Amino acid sequence: MSRAASGTVSNPAPTANPGAASSPAPAVEGLPIQVMPERETTLSSQANARVSRLPFRVGDDVPAGAVVVAFDCAELQAKRDSLLAEQAAANDTHLTKLRLQALNAAGQLEVSLAAAAVNKAVANVRQIDVQVLGCRITAPFAGKVSRLRIKEQENVAANQALIDIVDVSRLKAQLFVPTSAAAQFRQGATIMARFPDVKGERRAKIFRVNPRIDGASQLLELEASFVGGTSGLTAGLVGSARPLAAETVTADPALVPVAAAPIQALSSKVKARHKTKSKTKPKSRTPHAKPASKPATVAAE
């Protein structure tokens, strides 16, 4: 009541306008990010065999096409020799049937069966050749050995994992963001990453976004490429990431002259118009000075 009597009116508290633009999402800080190799693979065996040689160890450089695991394939070689002998016998039988057919001593069915036996023997040799190729495991690309899962003179089974190779020449970043912050991590967006024991922040650009959100964790998988090199980074290193602020992007010096050019041109035009008007004002006042002297002449009469 005392405030009403004194004439002061309190301002009402502002109410939220449902039609107003929504405020930007809060900045996301400290998202886990991991350095990953662009290419990595786990090589496995194709058949049951015994490891005879492991020329590389963990951390060694492996050139592309180099033999990383060699098996003792004496049994396969013996089986291949046996199949080659069967192939030679089938060829001789087929040639004999052809000669007998020329003498009308063999029918067409016998010749066809002999030819089929030759084709079967050739297919068996090809099959064993594929198995013999598996006696040597070669590196599909150049990289480093990151893990050895076997030892020399060890018997391995078919499809057993043997060795891991990592291409350390090309590294990328992998991170998972919550769905509430997915709008700040679109494809082409820039992020800043910080890793322990690595000086400064690293800039990365998102180049791949998983089109599907994980149903259990409700996280979106992203992949980013580092800008400016990956010196000092190692595959498997974990750090924290944040999106690059919008004002940092617009403050790029390369964008300032482009945005300021229209404003400078407009200001120069306004100054030119102002100078033109100031020069023409004294000329417009001169004709109006004559009527002022007419009353003085009437008074003299």
Coordinates of all heavy atoms in Angstrom, one line a residue, residues 171 190-191 199 201-205 224-233:
L171 N 45.8 -41.7 -38.7 CA 45.0 -41.8 -37.4 C 43.7 -40.9 -37.6 O 43.7 -39.9 -38.3 CB 45.8 -41.3 -36.2 CG 47.1 -42.1 -36.0 CD1 47.9 -41.5 -34.8 CD2 46.8 -43.6 -35.7
T190 N 33.7 -28.6 -36.5 CA 35.1 -28.7 -35.9 C 35.0 -28.9 -34.4 O 34.2 -28.3 -33.7 CB 35.8 -27.4 -36.3 OG1 35.8 -27.2 -37.7 CG2 37.3 -27.4 -35.8
I191 N 35.9 -29.7 -33.9 CA 36.0 -30.0 -32.5 C 37.4 -29.8 -32.1 O 38.3 -29.8 -32.9 CB 35.5 -31.5 -32.2 CG1 36.4 -32.5 -32.9 CG2 34.1 -31.7 -32.5 CD1 36.1 -33.9 -32.5
K199 N 51.0 -31.7 -25.6 CA 50.9 -30.3 -25.4 C 49.9 -29.7 -26.3 O 49.8 -30.0 -27.5 CB 52.3 -29.7 -25.8 CG 52.4 -28.2 -25.6 CD 53.8 -27.7 -25.9 CE 53.9 -26.2 -25.7 NZ 55.2 -25.7 -26.0
E201 N 45.9 -28.2 -27.6 CA 44.7 -28.9 -28.1 C 44.9 -29.2 -29.6 O 45.6 -28.5 -30.3 CB 43.5 -28.0 -27.9 CG 43.0 -27.8 -26.5 CD 41.7 -27.1 -26.4 OE1 41.6 -26.1 -27.1 OE2 40.8 -27.4 -25.6
R202 N 44.2 -30.2 -30.0 CA 44.2 -30.7 -31.4 C 42.9 -30.4 -32.0 O 41.8 -30.7 -31.5 CB 44.6 -32.2 -31.5 CG 46.0 -32.5 -30.9 CD 47.1 -31.7 -31.7 NE 48.4 -32.0 -31.1 CZ 49.2 -32.9 -31.6 NH1 48.9 -33.6 -32.7 NH2 50.4 -33.1 -31.1
R203 N 42.9 -29.9 -33.2 CA 41.7 -29.6 -34.0 C 41.4 -30.7 -34.9 O 42.3 -31.3 -35.5 CB 41.9 -28.3 -34.8 CG 40.7 -27.8 -35.6 CD 41.0 -26.7 -36.5 NE 41.5 -25.6 -35.8 CZ 40.8 -24.5 -35.5 NH1 39.6 -24.4 -35.9 NH2 41.3 -23.5 -34.8
A204 N 40.1 -31.1 -34.9 CA 39.7 -32.2 -35.7 C 38.3 -31.8 -36.4 O 37.6 -31.0 -35.9 CB 39.5 -33.5 -34.9
K205 N 38.1 -32.4 -37.5 CA 36.9 -32.1 -38.3 C 36.1 -33.4 -38.5 O 36.6 -34.4 -38.9 CB 37.2 -31.5 -39.7 CG 36.0 -31.0 -40.4 CD 36.5 -30.2 -41.7 CE 35.3 -29.6 -42.4 NZ 35.7 -28.9 -43.6
A224 N 36.2 -38.3 -36.7 CA 36.8 -37.1 -37.1 C 38.2 -37.3 -37.6 O 38.9 -38.2 -37.1 CB 36.7 -36.0 -36.0
S225 N 38.7 -36.4 -38.5 CA 40.0 -36.4 -39.0 C 40.8 -35.2 -38.4 O 40.2 -34.1 -38.3 CB 40.1 -36.4 -40.5 OG 39.4 -35.2 -41.0
F226 N 42.0 -35.5 -38.0 CA 42.8 -34.4 -37.4 C 43.3 -33.4 -38.4 O 43.7 -33.8 -39.5 CB 44.0 -35.0 -36.6 CG 43.6 -35.8 -35.4 CD1 43.6 -37.2 -35.4 CD2 43.3 -35.1 -34.2 CE1 43.2 -37.9 -34.3 CE2 43.0 -35.8 -33.1 CZ 42.9 -37.2 -33.1
V227 N 43.3 -32.2 -38.0 CA 43.7 -31.1 -38.9 C 45.1 -30.6 -38.4 O 45.3 -30.3 -37.3 CB 42.8 -29.9 -38.9 CG1 43.2 -28.8 -39.8 CG2 41.4 -30.4 -39.3
G228 N 46.1 -30.6 -39.3 CA 47.4 -30.2 -39.0 C 48.4 -31.3 -38.5 O 49.4 -31.0 -37.8
G229 N 48.1 -32.5 -38.8 CA 49.0 -33.6 -38.5 C 48.7 -34.3 -37.2 O 47.9 -33.8 -36.4
T230 N 49.3 -35.4 -37.0 CA 49.0 -36.3 -35.8 C 50.3 -36.6 -35.0 O 50.4 -37.6 -34.4 CB 48.4 -37.6 -36.2 OG1 49.2 -38.3 -37.1 CG2 47.0 -37.3 -36.9
S231 N 51.3 -35.7 -35.1 CA 52.5 -35.9 -34.3 C 52.3 -35.9 -32.8 O 51.5 -35.0 -32.3 CB 53.6 -34.8 -34.7 OG 53.1 -33.5 -34.4
G232 N 52.8 -36.8 -32.1 CA 52.6 -36.9 -30.7 C 51.5 -37.8 -30.3 O 51.3 -38.1 -29.1
L233 N 50.6 -38.2 -31.2 CA 49.4 -39.0 -30.9 C 49.7 -40.5 -31.2 O 50.5 -40.8 -32.2 CB 48.2 -38.5 -31.8 CG 47.8 -37.1 -31.6 CD1 46.6 -36.8 -32.4 CD2 47.4 -36.8 -30.1

